[in-house]
Amino acid sequence: MNGQDAAEHDAHRIPEDAIAVIGVACRLPGAAGADAFWELLSGGVDAITDLPEARRTATGHQDRRRGGYLDGIDRFDAEFFGIAPREALSMDPQQRLILELAWEALEDAGIPPHRLKGSPTAVFAGAIWDDYATLLRQADPATRPRSAATGVHRSMIANRVSYVLGLRGPSMTVDAAQASSLVAVHLAGESLRRGDATVALAGGVNLDLLPGDLAAEVKFGGLSPDGRCYTFDARANGYVRGEGGGLVVLKPLVRALADGDTIHCVVRGSAMNHDGGGDGLTAPHAAAQEDVLRQAYARSGVSPHQVQYVELHGTGTRVGDPVEAAALGAVLGAGRGPAEPLHVGSVKTNIGHLEGAAGIAGLLKAILSIRHRRLPASLNHATPNPRIPLDELRLRVQTELSQWPRPDLPLTAGVSSFGMGGTNCHVVISEWRPDPSPAATTAAISATP
């Protein structure tokens, strides 16, 4: 077996503890579902807008911040979920949104939700803001319903799903800052591998409900003053906020094969760590990012040269982008020839930074790119950031819709998400292709308990 044949054979070998993605759902700026999200991505659509007029009127604030916003966040079919209208009014819209996403994701997976009642199905949901709680506290206490306590408690974002669907697996709202929803996917995978759950819903939600002081937020150094995310570009000056959410339905691969599920892709491995120090609490740490990448690829059984694309954390900040690029170059760019760079991009250039739900948005982009066998463009990239030597690092920003670099091999991608407090997470996914060995899939199914 020559070197290329060996590489192809290794790319087909899926770890025994791999996790299958069997369902997806999302509600994102300009995209009310996965099909619409792919249309947005493949069409190179910029979904960043001014705050909708209806939202400004409702709050009484003439907030002019640009961002990625959802329509109809006030609409919710409470009766469908068996929730009293008065209780629904006191529920954080993030709770309402994740209930809808959970139902849609299970539908996409072909799982009637009632069949999961009483089962060890897990829910891991990333979320970091309590905007609705702040709004309720500003209201007259006499008009505040008794259900407000559960309606705005952040833990209920995950717990509400488990309660409504009658699920008895682990149920946790994850707050790891901007890494939250990808950490939720990582934790869900670990829960399935340990046998704590047989099925898992994982992802996150993020809504921007409070009027903001744009000047103050720009002064802090995070937000772009012109409402654009220029990932890896010379104009990088911060990010623009985004709203939305997404969930994936996960199941151990061997179980998904035995059940005849549609497999959108396979989570081959993942890892998370913390910066453990550095120049400041919110400053990214290149060595720690390198470590989390190495851990994720070691666990996934993927060699660096097999990775064809990485969905970046890619916020478009002056400090964050060069650090992320350096870590990727050190771990995945090393050893690549000039003609085989690692392709990279950021969905934040399309829909903004979804903060607590940023990681799931990036993961869904990577999953859809595998499903459709195309890599969509990362927007707003004209002149490379002079602090990011793309050629030396063997990186290439994906600036147009194209085929994957090696469509003859299993399509393999990484997804990164980093929290401002130092939490780093990376997930490795690939398309599902049965092992070329005829007995491999049969053996996998027969190994199912």
Side-chain angles (χ1 to χ4, degrees):
M1 185 181 292
N2 62 35
Q4 182 171 342
D5 290 340
E8 182 168 355
H9 185 266
D10 289 344
H12 280 277
R13 294 176 63 88
I14 301 292
E16 292 181 2
D17 62 353
I19 303 298
V21 178
I22 63 171
V24 299
C26 62
R27 201 76 53 76
L28 298 166
D35 290 342
F37 187 33
W38 178 250
E39 289 183 13
L40 180 149
L41 292 169
S42 60
V45 175
D46 180 350
I48 303 303
T49 65
D50 292 333
L51 183 68
E53 180 64 33
R55 301 268 287 271
R56 292 202 299 272
T57 302
T59 61
H61 292 273
Q62 291 303 305
D63 192 334
R64 296 293 177 180
R65 285 177 304 167
R66 289 176 59 77
Y69 296 105
L70 295 187
D71 294 325
I73 61 170
D74 57 328
R75 295 194 293 268
F76 178 65
D77 189 347
E79 183 180 1
F80 180 84
F81 291 102
I83 297 171
R86 183 170 176 80
E87 183 177 5
L89 286 174
S90 68
M91 285 171 56
D92 186 336
Q94 293 178 129
Q95 290 186 31
R96 305 177 209 163
L97 175 58
I98 204 163
L99 277 173
E100 294 171 342
L101 290 172
W103 196 276
E104 293 167 10
L106 291 172
E107 282 188 330
D108 186 64
I111 301 175
H114 71 271
R115 290 188 183 175
L116 295 178
K117 187 173 183 178
S119 71
T121 296
V123 180
F124 291 88
I128 66 175
W129 300 122
D130 299 314
D131 289 7
Y132 201 64
T134 300
L135 291 173
L136 280 186
R137 282 194 292 269
Q138 293 171 355
D140 183 355
T143 65
R144 193 178 304 156
R146 292 174 57 188
S147 57
T150 55
V152 298
H153 202 288
R154 205 184 314 164
S155 66
M156 297 296 168
I157 293 173
N159 295 166
R160 180 81 68 170
V161 174
S162 300
Y163 174 77
V164 168
L165 300 183
L167 312 178
R168 293 190 177 173
S171 184
M172 178 187 295
T173 300
V174 178
D175 185 349
Q178 292 80 359
S180 296
S181 59
L182 202 63
V183 168
V185 174
H186 168 76
L187 294 176
E190 294 300 294
S191 181
L192 291 168
R193 292 184 180 99
R194 286 193 306 267
D196 295 340
T198 53
V199 178
L201 288 155
V205 288
N206 192 72
L207 293 176
D208 179 12
L209 305 179
L210 294 176
D213 183 345
L214 180 59
E217 291 171 339
V218 169
K219 186 176 181 180
F220 176 74
L223 293 187
S224 167
D226 53 4
R228 287 283 185 277
C229 180
Y230 299 106
T231 301
F232 281 24
D233 190 88
R235 297 167 291 174
N237 59 1
Y239 66 86
V240 57
R241 299 185 72 187
E243 295 183 325
L247 286 176
V248 290
V249 182
L250 305 175
K251 188 184 283 190
L253 177 60
V254 291
R255 172 59 68 183
L257 291 171
D259 292 345
D261 294 316
T262 297
I263 299 173
H264 296 301
C265 74
V266 174
V267 178
R268 298 183 60 133
S270 60
M272 64 175 291
N273 71 1
H274 188 270
D275 287 345
D279 295 335
L281 177 61
T282 62
H285 196 290
Q289 290 186 20
E290 289 182 33
D291 286 346
V292 82
L293 291 168
R294 291 193 174 94
Q295 291 169 20
Y297 288 100
R299 293 174 184 175
S300 67
V302 172
S303 299
H305 66 272
Q306 294 170 357
V307 186
Q308 299 188 46
Y309 176 77
V310 166
E311 176 63 21
L312 302 164
H313 182 61
T315 54
T317 56
R318 293 187 177 94
V319 175
D321 281 7
V323 170
E324 182 174 10
L328 281 172
V331 178
L332 300 179
R336 292 176 182 262
E340 50 180 8
L342 174 68
H343 291 242
V344 299
S346 174
V347 73
K348 294 176 179 65
T349 62
N350 299 93
I351 61 174
H353 188 347
L354 268 63
E355 299 166 331
I360 192 64
L363 179 63
L364 287 167
K365 175 185 171 182
I367 291 170
L368 292 173
S369 298
I370 286 175
R371 178 196 291 181
H372 293 277
R373 303 188 67 78
R374 293 288 186 275
L375 288 176
S378 190
L379 308 183
N380 307 327
H381 186 80
T383 304
N385 187 327
R387 296 180 60 198
I388 302 177
L390 292 172
D391 291 340
E392 291 178 27
L393 297 173
R394 297 292 190 259
L395 305 178
R396 176 179 296 170
V397 177
Q398 182 71 23
T399 57
E400 61 182 4
L401 180 68
S402 72
Q403 278 197 336
W404 286 66
R406 288 294 307 275
D408 54 314
L409 294 178
L411 309 183
T412 301
V415 182
S416 290
S417 196
F418 309 133
M420 66 181 293
T423 299
N424 307 306
C425 188
H426 191 80
V427 173
V428 184
I429 65 173
S430 68
E431 69 171 317
W432 166 243
R433 288 189 190 180
D435 191 298
S437 169
T441 300
T442 302
I445 294 175
S446 64
T448 306

